[in-house]
Amino acid sequence: MHIASAATENCSHPKGNDMRRSRLGGVALGALAALALAACTDDTTGSGPRSDAEQAPAAAAGGPLDLSEVCPANVVFQTDWFAESEYGFLYQMIGPDYTIDTAKKRIVGSLVSHGQDTGVDVEVRYGGPAIGYEQVSAQMYVDESITMGLVSTDEAIQNSKDQPTLGVFAPFEVSPLMIMWDKAAHPEFRTLMDVGQTDTTVLYYETDTYMQYLLGAGILRQGQVDGSYQGGPDRWVAEEGKIAQAGFATSEPYIYANELDGVSYDVDFQLINDTGYPVYSQTLSIRAGEKEELAPCLKKLVPIIQQAQVDFMTDPSRTNALVIEAVKADDESVWNYSEGMAEYAVKTMRERGLVDNGSNGTIGDMEESRVQRMIDILTPIFAGQDKEIKEGLKPSDLITNEFIDPSIGLQ
């Protein structure tokens, strides 16, 4: 690993109001608070550095894979959850000399592409409890050592006035956000419109903006939605799968079928995307004001990220093993990740087209029409919530394809 200081997370602004992931199981809030505090300690326990690992050969000086002259010595990616296969493209870039830092909730190593060391280090930080459930865009403005973070379109719109971000790579062509139901309890359901024609309770996170869209569009009804979801399966199990519940297509269907103690549910779901809410989920973003400064780095780095996504989706085995190792290394974590879960996530991303090329055969680029649709949906919603967004907001304020290599895509 290169000699580059990795700044510790600034933990002075925990908010706990953005539990964006329904992955926690039945965990007490006290345990979550303890986990968030653990991320702020000076302890550096964890795996590594790996003395048995070989250093990747250096990329040719000045070549397309040499980032040493144009990028920060330590490229920091902030995620919104623990290590998982959905973010495999980030972990794909971590070289064989990696260190799993369980205290600071991160994995660090040399940034590698095509098996070559790019001359800089990479640091992938966990989100969620590790940053006090802070929104990633907000965390990026608290801790300026973060180079890029995962920011969905609706979050970017919400914070466009005071904490503006600019998306440069979309890891998901289609968001994995969904609402699910048990097939045995509700054999008549095919879509959320069917759910909305009944009195079935729909459990979701109160901060999830898409719910206001579903209500406004008449897909669901105000009287049936319940924003008290805290991430665990307890309510679902207690009601024997008779409720519908928010989650991620890449995780909950597998968990509820295979990883609940003593019970198993065969679920179906509809993606939120398919209801007319075309959010770009967890777009890799920079602070908007740093575009000019980071441009030389992004011109080289973004194609490397595109290729990392292609390489991961083509052969996820090495990276999935790293993800599982990282989760197992932290024995104080509330997060578990099995081999079956990792395989299911990648399979679902492939089969559902969640990770895919755009209409032009390029991976990671974004369509302004989709972003404009999100602006049109969310402007009145945020106005009704007294959340001020940037005046005259347009897609180019939120995304750019300037650094995308159009020749890189899934085959």
Side-chain angles (χ1 to χ4, degrees):
M1 200 184 314
H2 312 290
I3 305 300
S5 61
T8 59
E9 293 85 340
N10 185 324
C11 299
S12 60
H13 299 274
K15 290 185 18 178
N17 63 348
D18 191 46
M19 288 182 63
R20 301 182 62 83
R21 315 288 287 195
S22 48
R23 311 283 183 89
L24 301 181
V27 181
L29 291 178
L32 297 180
L35 178 61
L37 289 172
C40 304
T41 68
D42 289 329
D43 185 9
T44 55
T45 58
S47 300
R50 295 174 59 88
S51 58
D52 61 337
E54 294 183 3
Q55 183 79 26
L65 300 183
D66 178 17
L67 304 178
S68 61
E69 297 299 323
V70 292
C71 287
N74 191 46
V75 176
V76 178
F77 296 110
Q78 177 66 62
T79 72
D80 63 356
W81 199 242
F82 298 93
E84 57 184 356
S85 297
E86 287 87 332
Y87 307 143
F89 69 100
L90 295 176
Y91 298 108
Q92 181 77 24
M93 293 184 287
I94 299 177
D97 60 348
Y98 63 85
T99 298
I100 299 168
D101 189 336
T102 59
K104 292 182 177 147
K105 311 302 177 191
R106 63 188 181 183
I107 308 176
V108 299
S110 299
L111 198 158
V112 171
S113 180
H114 295 278
Q116 297 180 50
D117 189 331
T118 63
V120 300
D121 286 341
V122 59
E123 176 178 333
V124 183
R125 296 180 182 174
Y126 307 164
I131 56 173
Y133 293 106
E134 183 69 83
Q135 287 184 320
V136 171
S137 53
Q139 184 70 10
M140 290 170 68
Y141 278 87
V142 169
D143 184 351
E144 294 190 357
S145 70
I146 297 168
T147 312
M148 285 188 262
L150 298 178
V151 180
S152 297
T153 312
D154 43 11
E155 180 182 329
I157 293 171
Q158 177 186 348
N159 297 327
S160 58
K161 180 177 182 292
D162 296 325
Q163 296 166 329
T165 56
L166 184 69
V168 297
F169 171 77
F172 290 105
E173 181 66 18
V174 174
S175 170
L177 281 169
M178 58 88 182
I179 293 176
M180 69 180 187
W181 55 85
D182 178 37
K183 291 180 183 178
H186 298 289
E188 74 279 16
F189 290 171
R190 295 292 181 272
T191 69
L192 287 179
M193 287 291 292
D194 297 330
V195 179
Q197 299 303 308
T198 71
D199 293 327
T200 303
T201 296
V202 180
L203 196 61
Y204 76 104
Y205 286 123
E206 190 172 13
T207 54
D208 282 343
T209 304
Y210 69 78
M211 185 55 72
Q212 299 308 311
Y213 160 74
L214 295 178
L215 293 171
I219 296 171
L220 297 176
R221 295 177 294 104
Q222 186 69 56
Q224 71 179 144
V225 302
D226 182 342
S228 65
Y229 187 42
Q230 293 295 308
D234 306 55
R235 175 89 174 269
W236 175 286
V237 173
E239 301 202 26
E240 299 178 335
K242 294 177 182 177
I243 64 173
Q245 185 172 288
F248 287 72
T250 47
S251 60
E252 274 83 359
Y254 181 85
I255 292 171
Y256 281 58
N258 300 285
E259 297 189 351
L260 298 184
D261 291 339
V263 290
S264 177
Y265 298 93
D266 183 15
V267 308
D268 199 359
F269 60 84
Q270 184 174 17
L271 294 169
I272 302 301
N273 176 86
D274 295 346
T275 68
Y277 190 83
V279 62
Y280 281 109
S281 186
Q282 286 97 352
T283 299
L284 199 55
S285 304
I286 62 171
R287 287 174 287 271
E290 295 182 1
K291 179 186 174 185
E292 183 176 354
E293 175 187 349
L294 286 174
C297 173
L298 295 172
K299 287 177 183 178
K300 285 190 170 185
L301 180 56
V302 170
I304 287 173
I305 295 169
Q306 289 178 267
Q307 190 62 51
Q309 182 71 299
V310 170
D311 292 345
F312 172 69
M313 294 301 295
T314 301
D315 182 7
S317 55
R318 179 259 179 191
T319 298
N320 273 346
L322 171 58
V323 167
I324 294 167
E325 179 187 354
V327 174
K328 287 182 177 179
D330 191 353
D331 56 10
E332 295 183 355
S333 176
V334 298
W335 182 231
N336 296 301
Y337 211 73
S338 65
E339 183 177 350
M341 178 77 164
E343 292 175 353
Y344 175 84
V346 175
K347 180 174 181 286
T348 303
M349 288 189 286
R350 286 174 178 153
E351 293 183 352
R352 291 272 181 170
L354 306 182
V355 174
D356 206 348
N357 300 329
S359 58
N360 57 357
T362 300
I363 198 161
D365 61 343
M366 293 159 279
E367 297 177 1
E368 288 199 352
S369 59
R370 281 179 58 174
V371 177
Q372 184 61 57
R373 169 65 176 156
M374 292 300 301
I375 294 172
D376 294 342
I377 289 172
L378 293 173
T379 297
I381 290 175
F382 288 139
Q385 297 174 345
D386 293 324
K387 294 178 180 177
E388 189 175 358
I389 66 174
K390 180 179 179 179
E391 186 176 356
L393 185 66
K394 54 188 182 298
S396 59
D397 296 322
L398 301 169
I399 64 164
T400 180
N401 292 324
E402 178 181 344
F403 308 108
I404 292 285
D405 183 339
S407 70
I408 300 175
L410 291 169
Q411 300 301 312

